[in-house]
Amino acid sequence: MPPGARGTADRADALASVAAEVFRRHGVDFVQARRAAGWTNATWLAGGLAVRVARVPGTDDLSREARLAAVLPREVGYPSVVDTGTTGGYEWVVTEEIAASSLDDVWADLDWDRRITATRQLWARARAVHRVAPDAARPLVRKRNPFYATTPDEAKAGLRRLHTADVLTGREFVRLARALDQHWAALPGAVPVLNHGDLSPVNALWDGTRVVSLLDFEFAVLAPVHLDLNELVKLAFAPPEHGTVPTEEETAGRRRLQAAVTELARPLLRTASDIDLLIGHSIQLETWGLERELSKPGREAYRTWEPYRMLVALADGGGCYAPLLDALG
């Protein structure tokens, strides 16, 4: 067995044991349970219930999320919380199962009309989150989202590590650092709202015709709305997968999606400071993602990875977001 594999197997067994005990408490045989997607928590579905178990003992993300659920508007579509607790040090939460699939799982099978519809609906549910009173949310959210820095020095340090590792050139480091300076200069004037914090199709449910729920609020944080907005913009404007050549139909569909997202983003990108906030959040998210991927085997291929390609493009100006910025005038 490879080094570390035994510990991974033991952790998986521990999580399954906790889930089995939770299902038993609710009269459901764990044999019926099926695994669902998720990388921060382990999730099982059975008997009309969804059981999420924290992968790391001693955390409080799930209990905070359960309390946050009580202040989320119904328009968010968050499932009803049935039970919460801790077993063997592992937090868990039980919610009602929603009969739907992850939007990320079905995205490739959707035509462009439905992708555009799903994107608009995803953002509508996010906007319902943004309407929560900050004072009501403040005790229920993280002090920081791990994808983003809390100080200018911390943000720039990530870029410096990439430069030191010869992943970013000196010119790229300087340009990205300058964009971060503009971001931090704009931050004091921005109004904080409740952000989902990981607004990805992975965390939305699609029932075959519409987005019915926004899930997984463990990274929720008070921040400018541009934090969530960046994820929406990225959905439409991130570069195509490396090595692929889009067909004419795909190119046309992608342009339609970009036009739809541009109109959704336009009210929140009225000033130069708004743009600085958007770009700064993008740089921080991609820096985090690139450093995370570089810690894994196969780092030699980093030039093909989306975070690297986005950072390098941003260093050349608006990068992948240039069509959006141009459309905004």
Side-chain angles (χ1 to χ4, degrees), residues 107 112-124 127 229 232-237 251-269 323-324 327-328:
W107 183 265
W112 285 101
D113 285 341
R114 289 189 293 174
R115 290 182 188 182
I116 292 168
T117 295
T119 299
R120 287 180 172 138
Q121 292 173 347
L122 174 66
W123 188 238
R127 293 301 281 155
L229 181 64
L232 177 78
V233 171
K234 180 178 178 179
L235 180 61
F237 289 90
T251 299
R254 181 176 167 82
R255 286 175 178 164
R256 290 177 55 215
L257 177 61
Q258 291 175 345
V261 167
T262 296
E263 292 312 304
L264 293 174
R266 187 182 296 278
L268 301 172
L269 297 174
L324 167 70
L328 294 173

Side-chain angles (χ1 to χ4, degrees), residues 167-241:
V167 173
L168 293 177
T169 66
R171 173 179 172 275
E172 290 162 352
F173 168 75
V174 168
R175 290 196 168 193
L176 291 171
R178 187 180 302 133
L180 282 180
D181 288 341
Q182 294 172 322
H183 167 86
W184 289 100
L187 198 58
V191 177
V193 301
L194 176 62
N195 281 256
H196 179 275
D198 191 15
L199 189 66
S200 161
V202 171
N203 295 323
L205 294 180
W206 173 263
D207 73 352
T209 59
R210 62 193 180 100
V211 173
V212 293
S213 179
L214 190 55
L215 303 170
D216 296 354
F217 280 76
E218 65 261 42
F219 297 122
V221 68
L222 290 177
V225 69
H226 307 84
L227 187 149
D228 274 353
L229 181 64
N230 171 59
E231 293 269 31
L232 177 78
V233 171
K234 180 178 178 179
L235 180 61
F237 289 90
E241 185 177 348

